Amino acid sequence: MTTANAYPVTQTIRTIGILGGGQLGMMLAEAALPLGYQCVFLEDNADCPASLYGRVFHSEQLAAFIEAADVFTLEFENTPTSTVEQLTELSKSGKKHGMSPPLMALDIAQDRLKEKQMFNDLDIATVPFMAVNSEAELKKACDELGLPIVLKTSRGGYDGKGQFVIKQDSDIKAAWQELKDAVTGKGSLTPTPAPLIAEGFIDFSRELSIIAVRAQSGQVRCYDLVENHHHQGVLAKTQAPAVGTSHLFKQAQDAITTVMNHLNYVGVMALELFVTKDARGHDTLLANEIAPRVHNSGHWSIEGAITSQFENHIRAVVNLPLGDTDNVHPAIMLNVLGQYPDISAVLNIDGVHYHSYHKAERNDRKIAHITLMPNDVADLEPALAKLVATLPNKMGLETKPVAADEQPTALDNQEHAEKPVENAESNNVQSNNETRSSDKTVAAKENKAKK
């Protein structure tokens, strides 16, 4: 039996309010529709990608946005915590059905120091790091962590902005001058006063990420580990699953499950990881950062998994059973930056799935993604070469593939290249092996990081 508007009479949640209206909001709304849910969006750009799927409310229309939705989530971790706090209180009072993810997850994801400290408190290894509030503290960090280091704003910054690689003592003063205003909140990168963070370099061979979804019941389901390749600080390619990483899956699964349980998290989360060697020379993982939302490295799951990350996020938010996260077919996902390719040329390649974000072209802007899933896995690399040839911005992918331990080291999780998203920096901003240095052992650095 249904009501006049076609909703089941037992369905008390009908409309999902999404904070943000970019491509992630668009793809969440696409996943919500088959499940019977409408979406509305809080977004100051009326022509945002998500506008194709529901009403867009300006930030000055917050009250109307709240009135229009039954339950809330976000696609953009730079969302003001005050808004999330307000929605959380409405949920606690019973006036709304929930706000996911929780406020604490957002607060931690917006502050790199808090994030690294959380990892270490949970016995999840990271690169060594120190807080920096003055030039004197920066000199101390260089001495204790050993050069080179990367100095970053702990809040704000994206696509390599808000950071400085210090390779020698003579770089210290220039690095401090460039980033010091962030400590007082006077800089353009962040209005919130916060210490800088100095991170030590460590040898690593690959960049991976794991995406998981946690239900309101506490059930956690994880997707396969994937391998990410970046170009100039922006994600260019994700391969799912990451080849030869089965021995690392449990460590990644345990880490993200621990974080999600600690935060009492609901919804999809991504955890970015480095593959390095432990003191015995065995492969191990270092946590880089979390993304408290659906993630660029999970876009392959729309076609490549039994249940996409977007559908599973919607299921968690509205308290439906989670879907199977198994990979149905190996896939490669490419981002399209700046300029659209000839869609006929793209779709002429077998196994291609094209996703436009309906954005205007602009240099280095993420405007689409393409998932490649040829029927025969042996055709993946040849098809990838054909696909790259169709892209106006080839993102360095036209070069001959190199061994895993020679891959570029830039790391980024930015979903909105046009917005200053938190946690969207490159952990190693150089894209060559000279940045992967340190004559100190992993064990020594991990011990120092915990002090």
Side-chain angles (χ1 to χ4, degrees):
M1 179 178 180
T2 59
T3 62
N5 64 2
Y7 288 102
V9 293
T10 56
Q11 185 171 317
T12 56
I13 297 174
R14 299 179 179 182
T15 304
I16 300 167
I18 299 178
L19 303 173
Q23 62 263 25
L24 299 184
M26 181 189 77
M27 288 183 277
L28 284 169
E30 288 173 343
L33 279 172
L35 298 176
Y37 299 95
Q38 300 288 327
C39 293
V40 294
F41 309 91
L42 189 68
E43 167 67 59
D44 289 345
N45 175 15
D47 296 324
C48 62
S51 66
L52 296 168
Y53 291 91
R55 184 177 175 186
V56 177
F57 293 84
H58 192 275
S59 56
E60 295 177 355
Q61 300 173 300
L62 177 59
F65 167 76
I66 292 173
E67 180 64 26
D70 303 306
V71 67
F72 302 93
T73 188
L74 57 83
E75 58 114 44
F76 180 46
E77 67 261 43
N78 207 27
T79 299
T81 54
S82 58
T83 303
V84 175
E85 187 173 13
Q86 181 179 350
L87 296 174
T88 300
E89 290 303 315
L90 287 171
S91 301
K92 288 180 179 178
S93 70
K95 295 178 180 178
K96 295 294 176 179
H97 288 276
M99 170 66 220
S100 305
L103 180 63
M104 183 165 64
L106 199 65
D107 180 61
I108 287 174
Q110 289 183 0
D111 190 311
R112 296 179 183 91
L113 272 169
K114 288 183 180 179
E115 188 175 46
K116 289 287 196 297
Q117 289 161 354
M118 177 193 69
F119 287 141
N120 286 182
D121 289 345
L122 297 175
D123 291 325
I124 298 170
T126 66
V127 296
F129 66 93
M130 292 177 65
V132 171
N133 289 282
S134 66
E135 187 173 352
E137 288 185 2
L138 176 56
K139 291 177 180 177
K140 181 179 179 182
C142 291
D143 289 340
E144 293 196 12
L145 298 177
L147 295 180
I149 67 166
V150 58
L151 182 68
K152 306 176 185 177
T153 57
S154 59
R155 301 179 66 89
Y158 64 101
D159 279 350
K161 298 178 177 65
Q163 56 189 274
F164 194 110
V165 177
I166 300 175
K167 298 181 180 180
Q168 51 198 13
D169 289 342
S170 58
D171 294 333
I172 293 175
K173 184 172 289 293
W176 175 250
Q177 289 299 316
E178 182 165 321
L179 300 180
K180 67 177 182 179
D181 284 347
V183 175
T184 56
K186 296 178 181 178
S188 60
L189 289 169
T190 172
T192 305
L196 302 176
I197 179 172
E199 293 184 358
F201 280 77
I202 202 161
D203 290 327
F204 68 91
S205 58
R206 304 168 76 179
E207 300 171 36
L208 307 178
S209 58
I210 186 169
I211 290 174
V213 58
R214 187 176 186 271
Q216 294 180 33
S217 66
Q219 178 193 19
V220 174
R221 303 190 81 157
C222 295
Y223 292 85
D224 285 333
L225 276 166
V226 300
E227 182 167 356
N228 301 314
H229 299 264
H230 298 78
H231 180 65
Q232 297 178 348
V234 179
L235 181 65
K237 167 188 166 186
T238 293
Q239 182 154 358
V243 177
T245 58
S246 59
H247 62 302
L248 295 170
F249 179 77
K250 187 178 186 307
Q251 185 183 356
Q253 180 185 48
D254 288 349
I256 197 167
T257 300
T258 297
V259 170
M260 295 177 102
N261 288 339
H262 171 72
L263 298 173
N264 196 24
Y265 195 87
V266 172
V268 165
M269 173 187 286
L271 172 62
E272 297 188 345
L273 301 154
F274 298 125
V275 180
T276 186
K277 298 289 185 182
D278 63 19
R280 296 172 296 174
H282 299 154
D283 284 347
T284 191
L285 298 173
L286 299 180
N288 180 42
E289 60 190 29
I290 60 169
R293 53 170 169 78
V294 289
H295 191 255
N296 197 174
S297 71
H299 291 359
W300 63 271
S301 66
I302 296 174
E303 290 87 19
I306 293 175
T307 312
S308 76
Q309 65 164 342
F310 300 99
E311 181 178 337
N312 258 334
H313 187 79
I314 296 296
R315 289 190 187 204
V317 167
V318 300
N319 202 20
L320 291 175
L322 299 182
D324 193 331
T325 55
D326 280 355
N327 183 301
V328 297
H329 199 284
I332 290 176
M333 188 282 299
L334 301 184
N335 277 324
V336 177
L337 301 183
Q339 184 178 346
Y340 290 106
D342 179 346
I343 191 169
S344 294
V346 171
L347 295 181
N348 196 44
I349 301 168
D350 287 342
V352 159
H353 301 271
Y354 185 86
H355 297 261
S356 172
Y357 302 156
H358 304 274
K359 292 181 175 181
E361 294 180 334
R362 192 169 75 202
N363 283 346
D364 297 327
R365 189 186 203 190
K366 290 180 183 175
I367 56 176
H369 78 263
I370 301 169
T371 302
L372 181 61
M373 293 174 55
N375 192 46
D376 188 340
V377 176
D379 293 334
L380 257 179
E381 288 300 324
L384 176 62
K386 292 179 183 178
L387 180 56
V388 170
T390 70
L391 301 179
N393 184 345
K394 301 185 186 338
M395 300 172 292
L397 296 172
E398 73 275 27
T399 57
K400 183 179 178 181
V402 295
D405 62 353
E406 296 175 350
Q407 293 293 348
T409 63
L411 183 65
D412 176 70
N413 76 344
Q414 170 145 321
E415 305 292 344
H416 300 272
E418 68 275 24
K419 292 183 178 179
V421 182
E422 303 282 359
N423 295 321
E425 85 287 10
S426 161
N427 199 57
N428 288 335
V429 296
Q430 302 295 322
S431 60
N432 53 55
N433 288 337
E434 70 175 359
T435 64
R436 288 201 231 142
S437 65
S438 185
D439 53 0
K440 299 183 179 182
T441 65
V442 171
K445 286 199 168 188
E446 289 177 354
N447 288 336
K448 186 172 286 186
K450 293 180 180 179
K451 289 183 180 179

